[in-house]
Amino acid sequence: QVQLVESGGGLVQAGGSLRLSCAASGSAFSSYAMAWFRQAPGKEREFVAAITSSGGSTNYADSVKGRFTISRDNAKNTVYLQMNSLKPEDTAVYYCAADRWGRIHKFSYDYDYWGQGTQVTVSS
């Protein structure tokens, strides 16, 4: 079992930046693929970005390409989401997720472990 704890959310004006962090417990982090999802009120949880276990490959939702960057530091058991040029439509609870088999997915049901989420609010 692995525990994921997100941090770094908050309130920011449109055009601003935030960096989210997700710290994982346990020694198997470097073998997990990691992802970020988000869920706005009244909407389905949606894929944002994912990264392979080594960090060598990433995948992004079209809505965030060129604005968000996912990265990881396996020595620190942490995955990051750098969010730039934020828009009001980016407002959501952001969740990190882990796939213990090291595979990137775009569907939430494919991930094994989830954090509790961190709120990101972008004001216009």
Short mmCIF file of all heavy atoms in Angstrom, two decimals, residues 5 7 44 47 80 84 90 94 120:
data_model
loop_
_atom_site.label_atom_id
_atom_site.label_comp_id
_atom_site.label_asym_id
_atom_site.label_seq_id
_atom_site.Cartn_x
_atom_site.Cartn_y
_atom_site.Cartn_z
N VAL A 5 0.16 12.20 -0.80
CA VAL A 5 -0.28 13.43 -0.15
C VAL A 5 0.06 14.61 -1.05
O VAL A 5 1.24 14.90 -1.29
CB VAL A 5 0.38 13.61 1.23
CG1 VAL A 5 -0.09 14.90 1.86
CG2 VAL A 5 0.07 12.42 2.13
N SER A 7 0.01 18.69 -2.12
CA SER A 7 0.13 20.01 -1.50
C SER A 7 0.40 21.03 -2.59
O SER A 7 0.71 20.67 -3.74
CB SER A 7 1.25 20.03 -0.46
OG SER A 7 2.50 19.73 -1.07
N GLU A 44 -17.06 15.38 -14.20
CA GLU A 44 -16.32 14.13 -14.04
C GLU A 44 -14.84 14.43 -13.75
O GLU A 44 -14.32 15.47 -14.13
CB GLU A 44 -16.40 13.31 -15.32
CG GLU A 44 -17.80 12.93 -15.77
CD GLU A 44 -18.23 11.60 -15.17
OE1 GLU A 44 -17.38 10.72 -15.01
OE2 GLU A 44 -19.41 11.46 -14.87
N PHE A 47 -8.42 13.55 -16.75
CA PHE A 47 -6.97 13.39 -16.85
C PHE A 47 -6.31 14.73 -17.14
O PHE A 47 -6.82 15.53 -17.95
CB PHE A 47 -6.66 12.40 -17.97
CG PHE A 47 -5.21 12.29 -18.33
CD1 PHE A 47 -4.35 11.56 -17.53
CD2 PHE A 47 -4.72 12.91 -19.46
CE1 PHE A 47 -3.00 11.45 -17.86
CE2 PHE A 47 -3.39 12.80 -19.80
CZ PHE A 47 -2.52 12.07 -19.00
N TYR A 80 5.55 16.29 -9.35
CA TYR A 80 5.19 17.70 -9.37
C TYR A 80 4.30 18.00 -10.57
O TYR A 80 4.34 17.31 -11.59
CB TYR A 80 6.44 18.58 -9.46
CG TYR A 80 7.44 18.33 -8.38
CD1 TYR A 80 8.54 17.51 -8.59
CD2 TYR A 80 7.30 18.91 -7.12
CE1 TYR A 80 9.48 17.27 -7.60
CE2 TYR A 80 8.23 18.68 -6.12
CZ TYR A 80 9.32 17.86 -6.37
OH TYR A 80 10.23 17.63 -5.38
N ASN A 84 1.36 26.89 -15.31
CA ASN A 84 1.57 28.28 -15.72
C ASN A 84 0.39 28.76 -16.54
O ASN A 84 -0.41 27.96 -17.03
CB ASN A 84 2.85 28.38 -16.55
CG ASN A 84 4.10 27.97 -15.78
OD1 ASN A 84 4.18 28.15 -14.56
ND2 ASN A 84 5.08 27.43 -16.48
N ASP A 90 -9.33 26.19 -15.09
CA ASP A 90 -8.45 25.23 -14.42
C ASP A 90 -8.85 25.01 -12.97
O ASP A 90 -8.27 24.15 -12.28
CB ASP A 90 -6.99 25.71 -14.47
CG ASP A 90 -6.43 25.76 -15.87
OD1 ASP A 90 -6.68 24.82 -16.65
OD2 ASP A 90 -5.72 26.74 -16.18
N TYR A 94 -7.35 18.97 -7.49
CA TYR A 94 -6.34 18.22 -8.23
C TYR A 94 -5.89 17.02 -7.40
O TYR A 94 -5.56 17.16 -6.22
CB TYR A 94 -5.15 19.11 -8.56
CG TYR A 94 -5.44 20.04 -9.71
CD1 TYR A 94 -6.32 21.11 -9.57
CD2 TYR A 94 -4.85 19.84 -10.97
CE1 TYR A 94 -6.61 21.94 -10.64
CE2 TYR A 94 -5.12 20.68 -12.03
CZ TYR A 94 -6.01 21.73 -11.87
OH TYR A 94 -6.29 22.55 -12.93
N VAL A 120 -7.38 23.97 -6.23
CA VAL A 120 -6.80 25.06 -7.01
C VAL A 120 -7.94 25.94 -7.49
O VAL A 120 -8.89 25.46 -8.12
CB VAL A 120 -6.01 24.52 -8.22
CG1 VAL A 120 -5.60 25.67 -9.14
CG2 VAL A 120 -4.78 23.75 -7.75
#
